[in-house]
Amino acid sequence: MSSLFHNIFYEPVLNVLGVLILYLPGQSFGAAIIILTILINFLLLPLTHRMKKSQQKITDIQPHLDRIKREFKDNKEIQAKKTLELYREHGINPFSGFLLLLIQIPLFIALFRVLQASSESFRADLYPFLPDIPTFNPIFLGVLNLAKPNIVLAVIAGITQFIQGSLLLPPTPKGAAAKEQNKNDFQQIMQKQMRFVMPLFVVLLGIRFPAALALYWTTLSVFGIVHESIVRRRAKGALRSNGGDHQQPKH
């Protein structure tokens, strides 16, 4: 583990988790994981919200994107130029998700390693000004041992991931021509495959590693479901207030 990753991601995540365990009623390890996951998501909320707004706008202008593909199917350069012009016209940044991904990946790895840390290594990486953190109790809600794999929680994590993935999918086009285009759209195919692959991956992860990770992923997915629902509701409200569908862009 590099010192940069250790100092910027691993230690802060570990110490926040330790403080939560120390001050939460009953010093609940499970509640600390849930709150830590929510805190991380709230910190990333501005980036996440910006990305989701861009995704929603792309969904809204999908008919225009499809028209550009049809009109300039033999000239990829003009197709790309017209697509970027359409994005600029609607205030869409197609790269908004990259920065979020660059932050989320090391945070996930850090939390993954924190949850796998032994009691000795956990205490060794606590900041010296913090009080002594008691040995955390892995039992959550009186029955769930977060230190061991749990099939039920793994399945719940997979289900919530499936729901979140389904919400992120754009609406299926109607009509024979649209269905044929959707069938041949590589991005659409990959999105639909990931809708099933990711939940399966989460379940396999949950039945192999401590249930603390499945609890983290469940919390992460539920937060994503709630956020996606709020973004969609606000987008529909804004669309109604603007008088319906987007106007046909000029090219």
Side-chain angles (χ1 to χ4, degrees), residues 102-120:
L102 288 175
I103 298 174
Q104 280 182 327
I105 290 176
L107 277 174
F108 173 76
I109 296 174
L111 186 57
F112 181 86
R113 294 189 177 184
V114 166
L115 296 179
Q116 288 192 308
S118 64
S119 298
E120 294 76 14

Side-chain angles (χ1 to χ4, degrees), residues 69-192:
K69 288 181 181 179
R70 289 194 304 269
E71 290 182 1
F72 305 102
K73 61 181 180 180
D74 297 325
N75 194 323
K76 298 298 182 181
E77 184 177 347
I78 295 180
Q79 184 183 122
K81 180 182 177 182
K82 294 293 185 181
T83 299
L84 289 177
E85 288 177 357
L86 184 63
Y87 284 165
R88 283 196 296 269
E89 181 179 342
H90 290 269
I92 297 172
N93 181 5
F95 308 106
S96 59
F98 289 166
L99 179 59
L100 180 64
L101 190 62
L102 288 175
I103 298 174
Q104 280 182 327
I105 290 176
L107 277 174
F108 173 76
I109 296 174
L111 186 57
F112 181 86
R113 294 189 177 184
V114 166
L115 296 179
Q116 288 192 308
S118 64
S119 298
E120 294 76 14
S121 61
F122 190 96
R123 286 192 174 86
D125 287 313
L126 288 172
Y127 295 138
F129 58 82
L130 290 179
D132 184 44
I133 306 295
T135 302
F136 50 82
N137 183 4
I139 304 300
F140 183 51
L141 300 177
V143 294
L144 182 61
N145 188 347
L146 298 177
K148 296 181 179 179
N150 185 281
I151 296 177
V152 174
L153 189 55
V155 171
I156 293 174
I159 292 172
T160 54
Q161 172 62 43
F162 177 80
I163 295 172
Q164 184 186 16
S166 298
L167 285 174
L168 293 176
L169 280 176
T172 304
K174 296 180 180 180
K179 288 182 179 179
E180 183 64 25
Q181 182 179 359
N182 185 47
K183 180 180 178 181
N184 295 325
D185 193 317
F186 179 76
Q187 184 178 359
Q188 293 273 359
I189 293 172
M190 287 299 297
Q191 286 177 332
K192 289 183 178 180

Side-chain angles (χ1 to χ4, degrees), residues 17-37:
L17 184 63
V19 169
L20 290 172
I21 292 172
L22 181 64
Y23 291 106
L24 278 173
Q27 298 177 337
S28 172
F29 181 49
I33 292 174
I34 293 173
I35 294 175
L36 176 61
T37 308

Side-chain angles (χ1 to χ4, degrees), residues 9-22:
F9 292 100
Y10 179 80
E11 278 192 348
V13 169
L14 181 143
N15 281 270
V16 171
L17 184 63
V19 169
L20 290 172
I21 292 172
L22 181 64

